[in-house]
Amino acid sequence: MEHYLYLVIITLIVLAVIDLMVGVSNDAVNFLNSGLGSKALSFRLIMILASAGILCGAVFSSGMMEIARSGIYVPSMFSFNDVMVIFLAVMITDIILLDVFNYFGLPTSTTVSIVFELLGAAVCLALYKIMMSSGDYSTLSQYINTKKASEIVVSILLSVAISFTLGMLVQYVSRVLFTFQFQKRIKTFGVFFGGLALALISYFILIKGLKSVTFISKDVQSWISTHELTLLGGSFVVFTIFSFILTRLNINILKVIIGVGTFGLALSFAGNDLVNFIGVPVAAIQSIGFFKAAGTGIDPNTYMMSELASSEIVAPMWILSVSGLIMIFTLWTSKKARTVIETEMSLSSQDSSTEKFQPNTLSRWIVRGFVNLGNVLSYVMPRTLQSKLDKRFEQTVSATTQKSKDEPMFDMVRASVNLMVASSLIALGTSMKLPLSTTYVTFMVAMGTAFADRAWDRESAVYRVSGVFHVIGGWFFTAACAFTGAFVIAYFLKIGGIVSFVVALIVLALLLFQNARSHKKKVAEQAERKLQLEKTDIRSVQQVTEASSNQISEVVAKANLFYSEVIENLIKTDLTSLSINKKLIKKLNKDLDSTNDNLYNFIRNLDDNSAKSSRYYIISLGYLQDIIENLYIIANNAHSHVDNNHKPLRTSRGEDLRLVTKQLSNWYAEIYNMYKRLEFTNIDSVMNQRNKIQSTINELMDLQINDIRTTDTSPRNTRLYFSILLETNEMVSSTFKLLRLHKEFLEFKQANK
């Protein structure tokens, strides 16, 4: 038993470290979004401020772990073995769940996950104990404290509605006051805005971030609680004077707000959410301590864990300090944290050129409803007032201004409002004992301010609304998966003992490894796509030529490979390979779509002498997309034919398609070499080769028509065969048009030298 307990302790420590890392990766968006999105401060400074906030919050945390010990279940009803099963099931489920959310870049609530995991595992063990004893399931309420779970559900609804609405209203008023040319109004409105924002954030740090720290006595905490309005009013006066001094020294008060707000939210996160990561393993280690202190010979199945209900149990300071350092290390190194941050920033970005989520029916209905409502308000509102308000939201951008890749997602006014409103709501909810979630508040405030700032315009609203529903749906999905996952794992650990324990750890390790490898591949593909297809740095005619040639050579090479594979797999009726071909061609088409999404920025970035060359680049993209769409139709038809178990192609027709494939492959190989080497001296000869391929296609179509009239053939095969030849003919035509366009462009360049 002694060796088994040491194994459990080591396992819990390892799981705690992993849980800290995956948890920070998901929660980092809460306090980094505003600073990184506005780029008000350098990346390094933002990370330093967040790290300082995390360390202070972790070290000064009271270490109260009542949620993990007794907030969800009644410990006196469970034995030592039972609570160890609960804790292990919770840790394994939490790591898997948060790691999956991090992979997809979706922010979720670590509080919700830990509460419902504890609830699921505890319900499983309670039902097991009832089934093995009295069989009276009405006594389940004696084992479980359902109040906390119901509060979490209420917090989702409260956080979503209140946070979005208040963020929208405050941002709208702030934008009307400051406009997008806020630099001109910093020394007037900025003084009072800075005083209010800093006062609210400081109030938040006192009430929420440091509400139960050990170095503040109970009397001082009580005085703070009873004099909150006095503190808030005094802070407003002091910080208004402070803001006035800073503005006269030409220091941007908005940058100060963003820096202080980032520190405050990070402090609150570490001080209050740390229990979500280390509460369970600390409670488990403390349970082992209680069990060992009870003496030898104690049966772990009958020793009840009443001691866990004590409110005097705190986590040791060294555990809190080490946890803070692990969180800081993860913050600086985690790529998955950046994936989650990108999701929220993409939904609040002022730029609408690319979107992360696809629209759905619900998002279309909602946007259409708001558009109709806006039309009604525009009709009712006086034209003069409407015109004045519209001018407050105008973003004056010069026609010659080039969009930089380092341009912020949104400005410092919105970032300041995000931090101010989120801090105020969390502090208010804490003082009023409302169960508001930090994750939900910060996310929905960011969405509300983006909506009010007209970042959700007619170009992007349907995508942004869809994204918000994806995230909100993920929150409810978190609760369901957390409960179910912990319930199932707890059951297998209970009935399988040490064998199930070892198997669960092996499965966990394999899942983490596979997820990490997949995420690394995903990030690499996104980086490669961004590098190769987003041509925002193209400036001159020569750069247009090089970028377009590289793109054409890549697409032609892939199209050549995929076409050959599809025809060969169709002849062999290889359904699995055809499915892979279809997915790869669809991905290639998506890559081209992402390039088209950046055409606006591409055109803006060209210098004046090269603007006319953009027409060549745009038309060439269109021809490339036509080629890939024809190829996708061929792959889709071939896949459907084999998937529906239709007759395979006749041998002679297979050989005919191989002939076309060989001719097309040779032609595409020459085109690839020409564009790759930028050697176009033989472009006329290459263009003329299309006649041979199209003649072959016409001959094969005539043969098939004759076969239909003279012999009995399969209608399905005939339809497939004709579709392949017709789409191949379209591919050849689009490729020829691409070559002819390039020849015209070469002549244009020569004439303008």
Side-chain angles (χ1 to χ4, degrees):
M1 185 66 183
E2 188 79 13
H3 298 296
Y4 174 71
L5 290 179
Y6 284 125
L7 175 63
V8 170
I9 291 175
I10 294 172
T11 303
L12 286 169
I13 292 173
V14 173
L15 292 178
V17 172
I18 297 174
D19 201 32
L20 270 172
M21 297 176 74
V22 296
V24 173
S25 296
N26 197 276
D27 275 353
V29 65
N30 295 335
F31 49 87
L32 291 179
N33 174 60
S34 295
L36 295 179
S38 65
K39 296 189 176 179
L41 307 172
S42 68
F43 175 81
R44 186 179 183 83
L45 181 56
I46 291 171
M47 296 295 283
I48 290 173
L49 289 171
S51 300
I54 288 175
L55 190 60
C56 290
V59 172
F60 296 147
S61 173
S62 65
M64 300 299 292
M65 303 295 168
E66 62 274 6
I67 291 179
R69 293 195 320 269
S70 58
I72 304 301
Y73 59 92
V74 180
S76 60
M77 299 296 293
F78 294 91
S79 68
F80 172 73
N81 261 356
D82 293 334
V83 296
M84 296 310 294
V85 167
I86 291 173
F87 292 149
L88 287 171
V90 168
M91 292 299 296
I92 293 171
T93 307
D94 199 53
I95 292 172
I96 294 173
L97 185 63
L98 293 180
D99 196 54
V100 169
F101 269 85
N102 292 342
Y103 175 81
F104 289 106
L106 295 175
T108 190
S109 172
T110 53
T111 302
V112 167
S113 63
I114 202 72
V115 166
F116 278 91
E117 284 155 3
L118 284 166
L119 183 63
V123 167
C124 175
L125 268 295
L127 291 175
Y128 183 86
K129 289 173 70 67
I130 293 172
M131 181 179 65
M132 299 301 292
S133 56
S134 64
D136 184 7
Y137 293 101
S138 62
T139 60
L140 181 63
S141 58
Q142 300 177 13
Y143 294 81
I144 306 298
N145 177 10
T146 58
K147 181 181 178 181
K148 180 62 67 176
S150 61
E151 285 182 351
I152 294 298
V153 175
V154 172
S155 77
I156 296 177
L157 302 177
L158 283 175
S159 301
V160 169
I162 296 175
S163 303
F164 184 88
T165 303
L166 192 59
M168 176 182 64
L169 294 176
V170 175
Q171 177 61 32
Y172 188 85
V173 173
S174 300
R175 185 59 70 193
V176 169
L177 292 175
F178 283 100
T179 74
F180 280 96
Q181 289 73 49
F182 58 87
Q183 296 86 352
K184 303 175 182 178
R185 296 166 176 80
I186 287 292
K187 292 188 177 182
T188 52
F189 297 120
V191 172
F192 299 99
F193 182 82
L196 179 61
L198 291 174
L200 289 172
I201 293 172
S202 300
Y203 168 77
F204 160 73
I205 293 174
L206 284 173
I207 301 302
K208 177 68 174 175
L210 302 177
K211 65 183 176 68
S212 57
V213 295
T214 53
F215 66 88
I216 296 181
S217 66
K218 297 292 184 182
D219 293 337
V220 174
Q221 291 179 19
S222 176
W223 187 89
I224 291 175
S225 299
T226 55
H227 296 80
E228 289 180 2
L229 291 179
T230 303
L231 281 172
L232 193 57
S235 298
F236 173 70
V237 174
V238 172
F239 284 118
T240 300
I241 297 172
F242 178 67
S243 300
F244 177 80
I245 295 172
L246 290 182
T247 53
R248 292 302 176 270
L249 295 175
N250 292 321
I251 297 175
N252 192 334
I253 189 62
L254 298 179
K255 292 186 177 182
V256 177
I257 295 171
I258 294 169
V260 175
T262 299
F263 172 84
L265 279 178
L267 184 146
S268 171
F269 154 73
N272 295 276
D273 288 355
L274 187 61
V275 63
N276 299 336
F277 312 130
I278 69 169
V280 169
V282 167
I285 293 174
Q286 290 170 339
S287 299
I288 294 174
F290 292 141
F291 177 72
K292 292 180 67 177
T296 58
I298 302 296
D299 187 355
N301 292 305
T302 57
Y303 180 75
M304 311 308 286
M305 299 304 301
S306 305
E307 292 96 334
L308 284 178
S310 173
S311 60
E312 301 300 321
I313 305 174
V314 297
M317 179 62 69
W318 71 268
I319 292 181
L320 300 176
S321 302
V322 171
S323 299
L325 293 175
I326 293 173
M327 293 161 77
I328 292 172
F329 172 79
T330 304
L331 184 68
W332 283 85
T333 59
S334 175
K335 292 183 179 180
K336 289 183 180 178
R338 286 159 175 74
T339 303
V340 179
I341 292 170
E342 286 171 4
T343 296
E344 184 166 320
M345 289 202 293
S346 70
L347 293 174
S348 57
S349 171
Q350 208 73 33
D351 179 26
S352 60
S353 60
T354 57
E355 300 296 339
K356 189 178 180 71
F357 296 92
Q358 293 300 313
N360 52 44
T361 302
L362 181 59
S363 67
R364 294 188 184 101
W365 284 352
I366 291 175
V367 172
R368 191 174 294 117
F370 272 96
V371 169
N372 294 333
L373 178 61
N375 292 334
V376 172
L377 293 177
S378 298
Y379 181 79
V380 174
M381 187 181 297
R383 298 292 181 185
T384 306
L385 176 60
Q386 185 177 344
S387 177
K388 288 182 178 179
L389 289 175
D390 287 340
K391 286 183 179 180
R392 310 299 288 183
F393 286 85
E394 286 182 356
Q395 301 182 59
T396 56
V397 181
S398 172
T400 60
T401 301
Q402 295 176 348
K403 185 175 177 65
S404 169
K405 63 182 179 180
D406 293 325
E407 193 169 322
M409 295 283 193
F410 42 82
D411 66 9
M412 288 184 276
V413 173
R414 178 141 51 109
S416 301
V417 171
N418 284 343
L419 293 165
M420 176 178 68
V421 175
S423 300
S424 305
L425 280 175
I426 296 169
L428 181 63
T430 300
S431 63
M432 297 178 64
K433 301 188 183 303
L434 293 174
L436 295 179
S437 166
T438 305
T439 298
Y440 302 155
V441 168
T442 53
F443 178 82
M444 292 310 300
V445 165
M447 296 303 100
T449 57
F451 176 75
D453 227 15
R454 300 188 180 180
W456 295 8
D457 58 10
R458 293 289 292 270
E459 300 293 324
S460 62
V462 69
Y463 305 97
R464 305 287 173 89
V465 173
S466 175
V468 170
F469 278 114
H470 271 84
V471 174
I472 294 176
W475 295 344
F476 289 96
F477 185 70
T478 298
C481 288
F483 182 92
T484 305
F487 187 100
V488 172
I489 294 175
Y491 177 75
F492 280 107
L493 290 176
K494 181 64 177 178
I495 64 173
I498 185 66
V499 175
S500 295
F501 174 57
V502 174
V503 171
L505 293 181
I506 293 174
V507 171
L508 174 62
L510 292 174
L511 288 174
L512 290 176
F513 174 76
Q514 179 62 31
N515 210 5
R517 188 171 66 174
S518 299
H519 186 265
K520 184 178 180 180
K521 181 180 178 181
K522 177 182 175 183
V523 171
E525 289 177 352
Q526 291 174 346
E528 181 182 0
R529 188 182 308 143
K530 184 176 181 180
L531 180 65
Q532 294 182 357
L533 299 177
E534 294 182 4
K535 307 298 182 181
T536 55
D537 289 332
I538 298 174
R539 299 285 188 267
S540 65
V541 174
Q542 182 60 30
Q543 288 176 316
V544 170
T545 305
E546 293 175 359
S548 179
S549 297
N550 287 334
Q551 190 170 50
I552 291 171
S553 64
E554 295 260 349
V555 172
V556 166
K558 290 179 179 179
N560 190 9
L561 175 64
F562 293 152
Y563 184 90
S564 301
E565 288 185 352
V566 167
I567 298 302
E568 197 61 34
N569 292 328
L570 170 63
I571 295 171
K572 296 177 180 178
T573 63
D574 187 346
L575 182 61
T576 302
S577 297
L578 284 172
S579 299
I580 295 173
N581 295 145
K582 185 179 173 182
K583 290 178 182 178
L584 291 174
I585 296 170
K586 188 175 183 179
K587 179 180 178 296
L588 179 58
N589 199 27
K590 186 177 180 181
D591 290 343
L592 285 173
D593 281 337
S594 69
T595 304
N596 284 326
D597 289 338
N598 285 279
L599 284 178
Y600 175 80
N601 294 333
F602 159 73
I603 295 171
R604 288 185 63 87
N605 287 346
L606 285 172
D607 58 41
D608 294 336
N609 297 327
S610 306
K612 290 184 179 180
S613 64
S614 62
R615 179 174 63 88
Y616 156 74
Y617 183 67
I618 294 168
I619 296 175
S620 67
L621 278 178
Y623 288 141
L624 288 176
Q625 201 141 29
D626 289 341
I627 293 170
I628 300 307
E629 286 175 357
N630 295 137
L631 181 59
Y632 182 77
I633 292 173
I634 294 173
N636 186 53
N637 289 343
H639 178 270
S640 297
H641 185 88
V642 177
D643 196 23
N644 290 329
N645 300 303
H646 295 316
K647 294 179 181 179
L649 290 176
R650 288 164 50 191
T651 304
S652 59
R653 292 297 167 250
E655 292 303 319
D656 291 341
L657 290 179
R658 283 193 175 110
L659 175 61
V660 175
T661 301
K662 183 178 180 181
Q663 292 180 353
L664 184 66
S665 179
N666 292 336
W667 191 42
Y668 273 10
E670 288 195 40
I671 295 172
Y672 170 80
N673 291 329
M674 184 172 63
Y675 279 98
K676 195 67 176 178
R677 299 169 183 170
L678 296 177
E679 290 285 345
F680 302 103
T681 53
N682 64 333
I683 190 171
D684 289 323
S685 173
V686 174
M687 289 173 63
N688 291 333
Q689 292 183 36
R690 71 102 180 219
N691 297 325
K692 180 180 178 182
I693 302 174
Q694 290 187 322
S695 296
T696 301
I697 292 173
N698 291 334
E699 291 174 5
L700 295 178
M701 292 183 70
D702 290 340
L703 286 173
Q704 180 65 15
I705 292 172
N706 186 59
D707 284 349
I708 293 172
R709 295 176 60 84
T710 58
T711 61
D712 184 21
T713 60
S714 167
R716 301 284 184 185
N717 280 3
T718 299
R719 183 187 304 173
L720 175 65
Y721 186 71
F722 276 141
S723 71
I724 292 174
L725 292 178
L726 289 172
E727 295 300 331
T728 303
N729 190 59
E730 289 297 319
M731 285 179 63
V732 173
S733 297
S734 297
T735 306
F736 176 78
K737 292 175 184 177
L738 181 67
L739 294 171
R740 185 176 61 189
L741 175 70
H742 194 91
K743 181 181 177 182
E744 293 173 358
F745 181 67
L746 292 174
E747 294 171 352
F748 166 79
K749 283 177 59 181
Q750 187 67 28
N752 286 273
K753 278 188 176 180

